[in-house]
Amino acid sequence: MNEALWALGRGTGVVSLALFTVSVLLGILNRSGRPLFTLPRFSVALVHRNVALLATAFLAIHLVTLFGDSYAQLRLVDFVVPFLGAAKPFWLGLGTLAVDLMLAIVITALLRGVVGVRVFKAVHWLTYLMWPVALLHSIGNGTDVGQTWFIAFAATCSIAVVAALVWRLSRGFVEYENVRVERTS
């Protein structure tokens, strides 16, 4: 049973990171105002939200299965307070920190109408911290870090997010800049 929990925990961690990567890319694309292939912007926003929620579900499975795995040596406090873990406390702490950030992001996104757009946007910027912290957790705590497939996976995710972030910070990012400027003028 431990072997099955370990495999499920490992697999759901990788799937969660892949889905969070897609969510970050879709979030940046959505912010640009551009469609995705034939999907209009509002559909990109819905796909972004649903992918983020799916990533969160896989992350929950990752946490629950590893809690049941005796090799991981997780305690309830390890899910909330970073850097207290028995095994690899720094790398596990990064995972806990990423989970804490993700919870703040998801909760404010789900309560956007209650907390307001300003709070939603401010907390949503934490995604740019959460994603690399989660990646570092997977590199430092993952058991497949030396495997060719994982190196390629981590490199692909990193290149995609860095490229999207460079585009996000570029002058040409906003497609409809003149329309947005007219509305604020």
Side-chain angles (χ1 to χ4, degrees):
M1 183 63 166
N2 246 4
E3 194 80 20
L5 289 174
W6 174 77
L8 184 60
R10 186 180 89 185
T12 53
V14 170
V15 171
S16 182
L17 183 60
L19 289 169
F20 277 123
T21 300
V22 171
S23 179
V24 168
L25 299 175
L26 288 170
I28 291 172
L29 177 66
N30 185 54
R31 186 70 187 120
S32 76
R34 291 174 171 83
L36 176 65
F37 304 112
T38 60
L39 286 178
R41 183 177 177 199
F42 74 89
S43 293
V44 174
L46 290 173
V47 173
H48 164 64
R49 184 192 67 198
N50 290 338
V51 167
L53 291 174
L54 185 60
T56 303
F58 272 92
L59 181 60
I61 296 168
H62 174 68
L63 297 173
V64 169
T65 56
L66 290 178
F67 183 68
D69 179 9
S70 62
Y71 175 78
Q73 303 175 28
L74 295 178
R75 302 163 301 166
L76 286 175
V77 70
D78 296 328
F79 290 105
V80 183
V81 182
F83 311 112
L84 297 180
K88 299 183 180 179
F90 177 74
W91 300 111
L92 178 61
L94 290 178
T96 303
L97 181 59
V99 168
D100 292 346
L101 292 168
M102 183 272 314
L103 285 173
I105 295 163
V106 169
I107 289 169
T108 55
L110 293 174
L111 298 175
R112 184 178 183 172
V114 175
V115 299
V117 174
R118 179 171 275 170
V119 170
F120 164 77
K121 285 183 178 183
V123 173
H124 225 72
W125 278 99
L126 292 174
T127 302
Y128 293 113
L129 176 61
M130 186 270 307
W131 186 88
V133 169
L135 177 67
L136 288 173
H137 163 74
S138 70
I139 291 170
N141 218 34
T143 53
D144 293 314
V145 72
Q147 301 292 319
T148 304
W149 72 266
F150 184 81
I151 294 168
F153 168 74
T156 301
C157 290
S158 298
I159 290 167
V161 169
V162 168
L165 188 55
V166 167
W167 176 54
R168 171 78 171 95
L169 297 173
S170 72
R171 293 190 66 167
F173 176 72
V174 179
E175 181 179 50
Y176 303 109
E177 186 175 22
N178 59 342
V179 174
R180 291 184 184 175
V181 171
E182 287 176 18
R183 288 182 186 165
T184 59
S185 299

